[in-house]
Amino acid sequence: MSTNESEINQVKKEFCLNDTLFFTRHFFKRNYGKKFIVNKHHKLISEALEKVYTGQTKKLIINIAPRYGKTELAVKNFIAKGFALNPKAKFLHVSYSQDLAQQNSEEVRDNFILNPEFTKLFPARLKQGSTQKKKWSTEQGGMLYATATGGQVTGFGAGQIEEDGETDEFFDNYEKSKNFGGAIVIDDPIKPEDADQPNSRRKVNERYESTLKNRVNSVNTPIIIIMQRLHENDLCGHLIKSEGDEWEVLSLPCIEEDEEGNERSMWEFKHSIEWLQTERKRNPTVFGRQFQQNPMPAAGILFPKHELNWYKSEDLNKKDADFVMCANDVADEGADDYCMAIAYVFDTNVYIEDVLFNKKGLDINVKSIVEKVHRHEIKEMHIETNGAGKKHLKNVRNEVRTCRIVGKHNSTNKESRILNEEGFVKINFYFRADYEADSEYARYIYELTNYLKEGRNEHDDAADGTALLANVIYQKFKSRFTNGNN
């Protein structure tokens, strides 16, 4: 290596060690062959992480929307720079998904520790035989252990054990010694679709209290939690309420306001203000949580009558409809209602002209389905295939030959599915105001307009069936409802 090259590497090394954002940009370009697009929120996150390296911050919460670079910057590059500072550092990395945690672990190992550019600048070397994604070590005694939130962590700790009398000197001279010891890094501890389940939230919060927070090798080992807010009582909400004074919280909403109260996008490169405003209308509760980091308490009725759009059937010119389709939520249990909502689509307006809503059973309802398909000239039908839905789908196909029939498998819980479609239903759906009092349509409306935002709903079939229809219509005509925004 020439003297000139050695000097250049020394300069790069010092910049990487002293500037977290420079470290990220430098290795992002070398790992992916393109620039890391920097926005002000990346600078704020980097500044917060710098305080963790220097010991100024022991507990850090970062709340930001998904796909805004949080994992790249605050997980993979944070851990990698930790090994650059100190190859003896020990990390515990946790996520709701075992696969995600191990993928991050693998990328830290392969894109940094084994990267020739990294080894040229820093002394950390992979220990021979460290081939597992879940756990690998450096030759110097450092370690990264990656697991799911509920995974096994017994026997593993983060940070370095300090000898008596060493702590004060260690942190007084931290900037010079570059002796960062590692951290617990928690990225998205709960799945978004589980956040509205009290038992799921409680398990994650209890797991942190009983196990995760105790896996530190010293009182000075930092803990970082990076996640989008999902519920007022998610892990961040729980910790802010119980020990808020101990946590540094960096909350980064996607929509900001200037001094005059005008809204603007935090990162125009990612999402325009028009796209964000459209999404906020479509899913106000979900948007407030995931994009604004503002998980307001969910309470009351989700679809109150006064917030819905209404029309009279006689005023609807059905022949001019762009498309007629339906979605069928199959009754899994005897107490459930079969919900088939039939929609006449006009541009961005969706008129629920008719429904099948009863407890008569799948076999009996096949005849009713056939009758409604012919009466409304339905072009497309989506049938939920969970549980008994697969067999029901086959039976309907055997009887209905005039419309396209599509199976729809739901992998998320009902509460999340329904909540996700709240805004779309309120903005784009129109319900009949002239339904008969003793009709199935009347029972459908009653159940829909009594569905609670939070808490146990004894009857949720109308809301779930409506959410299913909203989802398939939005996906089919997405360009209409997004006005061309990405």
Side-chain angles (χ1 to χ4, degrees):
M1 182 184 299
S2 66
T3 302
N4 188 49
E5 185 180 358
S6 177
E7 291 175 351
I8 292 174
N9 287 337
Q10 184 61 35
V11 171
K12 288 194 293 188
K13 175 181 178 180
E14 289 302 316
F15 269 106
C16 284
L17 292 178
N18 286 284
D19 188 331
T20 297
L21 191 53
F22 180 90
F23 181 96
T24 299
R25 294 171 64 192
H26 181 73
F27 283 99
F28 190 88
K29 180 67 178 294
R30 279 149 185 79
N31 284 324
Y32 304 110
K34 56 184 178 181
K35 291 183 178 180
F36 184 84
I37 306 299
V38 176
N39 189 56
K40 66 177 182 179
H41 74 278
H42 297 120
K43 297 177 181 178
L44 293 172
I45 293 173
S46 297
E47 290 170 2
L49 295 175
E50 288 284 358
K51 292 181 179 180
V52 176
Y53 288 129
T54 60
Q56 295 170 267
T57 298
K58 305 290 178 59
K59 294 181 177 180
L60 173 65
I61 287 173
I62 300 174
N63 295 137
I64 190 169
R67 313 306 299 170
Y68 271 63
K70 67 182 179 63
T71 300
E72 186 69 34
L73 184 57
V75 178
K76 291 181 282 188
N77 279 271
F78 172 78
I79 294 174
K81 183 181 172 181
F83 283 119
L85 289 166
N86 179 10
K88 296 180 181 179
K90 291 181 172 63
F91 291 91
L92 173 61
H93 174 45
V94 176
S95 178
Y96 73 82
S97 165
Q98 181 80 36
D99 290 341
L100 178 60
Q102 292 187 12
Q103 178 183 328
N104 292 337
S105 171
E106 183 180 32
E107 290 191 32
V108 173
R109 183 191 65 193
D110 295 351
N111 291 348
F112 295 94
I113 306 302
L114 293 177
N115 187 328
E117 176 70 7
F118 188 92
T119 58
K120 184 168 60 178
L121 301 179
F122 309 112
R125 298 291 183 271
L126 187 68
K127 184 178 180 180
Q128 189 173 2
S130 285
T131 59
Q132 296 183 30
K133 299 177 185 180
K134 186 173 185 178
K135 175 182 176 292
W136 51 265
S137 305
T138 64
E139 290 181 352
Q140 294 88 343
M143 182 195 72
L144 173 55
Y145 182 77
T147 187
T149 306
Q152 177 67 36
V153 295
T154 303
F156 299 96
Q160 292 188 330
I161 300 173
E162 300 165 6
E163 297 179 3
D164 292 341
E166 185 181 2
T167 303
D168 293 339
E169 182 181 357
F170 175 82
F171 279 94
D172 286 342
N173 298 299
Y174 187 85
E175 192 66 23
K176 295 180 180 179
S177 69
K178 304 292 183 183
N179 199 21
F180 174 69
I184 294 176
V185 182
I186 302 173
D187 182 26
D188 288 335
I190 187 170
K191 292 175 66 175
E193 53 264 37
D194 290 342
D196 285 301
Q197 298 289 322
N199 288 339
S200 297
R201 292 196 307 271
R202 184 172 61 251
K203 285 180 181 179
V204 171
N205 296 347
E206 290 178 352
R207 178 67 170 170
Y208 174 84
E209 294 289 355
S210 65
T211 305
L212 294 179
K213 75 174 185 179
N214 299 318
R215 306 317 301 172
V216 294
N217 288 332
S218 86
V219 294
N220 291 307
T221 298
I223 301 175
I224 303 175
I225 301 173
I226 314 109
M227 64 179 289
Q228 54 183 301
R229 290 304 305 272
L230 297 168
H231 191 276
E232 59 172 324
N233 293 319
D234 59 17
L235 180 58
C236 289
H238 165 73
L239 292 174
I240 291 170
K241 289 177 182 178
S242 62
E243 48 186 51
D245 294 341
E246 300 178 24
W247 289 86
E248 185 75 22
V249 179
L250 178 60
S251 181
L252 299 165
C254 292
I255 294 180
E256 304 173 327
E257 288 188 1
D258 59 23
E259 294 179 356
E260 298 179 354
N262 299 314
E263 292 187 334
R264 62 190 179 194
S265 170
M266 179 182 72
W267 194 15
E268 191 72 26
F269 175 82
K270 184 69 176 180
H271 290 132
S272 68
I273 186 61
E274 292 79 14
W275 185 91
L276 292 168
Q277 290 170 336
T278 298
E279 283 299 298
R280 181 173 58 188
K281 290 179 180 178
R282 203 172 86 83
N283 296 311
T285 303
V286 174
F287 186 89
R289 296 173 176 183
Q290 297 184 9
F291 285 88
Q292 291 301 94
Q293 313 312 314
N294 183 27
M296 296 296 291
I301 302 298
L302 186 62
F303 300 109
K305 278 191 173 183
H306 69 275
E307 292 186 14
L308 299 180
N309 303 310
W310 301 92
Y311 76 101
K312 291 184 178 180
S313 181
E314 62 184 24
D315 296 331
L316 187 66
N317 192 344
K318 303 179 184 65
K319 293 182 179 180
D320 291 339
D322 300 335
F323 205 75
V324 182
M325 61 189 299
C326 66
N328 302 24
D329 180 32
V330 179
D332 289 330
E333 301 176 4
D336 293 340
D337 281 289
Y338 189 103
C339 181
M340 173 185 179
I342 301 167
Y344 283 69
V345 182
F346 294 77
D347 192 19
T348 58
N349 295 332
V350 179
Y351 294 85
I352 308 303
E353 177 65 11
D354 197 4
V355 298
L356 184 66
F357 195 78
N358 60 55
K359 296 180 172 64
K360 295 179 180 178
L362 300 183
D363 293 338
I364 295 176
N365 273 327
V366 168
K367 296 180 181 179
S368 299
I369 292 170
V370 172
E371 185 274 327
K372 290 188 182 293
V373 167
H374 293 311
R375 188 203 311 173
H376 296 284
E377 298 182 359
I378 295 171
K379 303 299 182 184
E380 189 168 295
M381 179 188 304
H382 291 254
I383 298 179
E384 183 192 38
T385 56
N386 298 54
K390 282 187 178 181
K391 182 179 179 181
H392 177 64
L393 175 68
K394 293 180 180 178
N395 292 338
V396 174
R397 277 181 173 161
N398 288 334
E399 299 296 329
V400 177
R401 304 291 183 180
T402 59
C403 81
R404 178 172 179 253
I405 301 176
V406 182
K408 173 76 172 178
H409 179 78
N410 284 318
S411 58
T412 58
N413 64 65
K414 282 187 179 182
E415 290 81 359
S416 294
R417 294 199 301 267
I418 295 168
L419 199 60
N420 282 339
E421 303 302 334
E422 173 195 1
F424 187 75
V425 170
K426 289 180 178 178
I427 294 171
N428 302 102
F429 274 42
Y430 289 76
F431 299 89
R432 287 183 58 175
D434 55 353
Y435 58 84
E436 296 180 6
D438 59 348
S439 65
E440 292 187 9
Y441 202 108
R443 290 190 58 247
Y444 162 77
I445 290 296
Y446 176 82
E447 188 174 294
L448 178 67
T449 56
N450 281 275
Y451 181 84
L452 297 173
K453 290 184 180 181
E454 189 170 90
R456 190 177 187 280
N457 283 280
E458 185 176 356
H459 301 292
D460 55 20
D461 303 301
D464 197 24
T466 305
L468 175 64
L469 178 63
N471 180 262
V472 297
I473 289 178
Y474 178 77
Q475 294 302 324
K476 185 174 183 64
F477 303 105
K478 193 171 184 179
S479 61
R480 295 185 181 186
F481 300 106
T482 56
N483 296 317
N485 290 317
N486 293 322

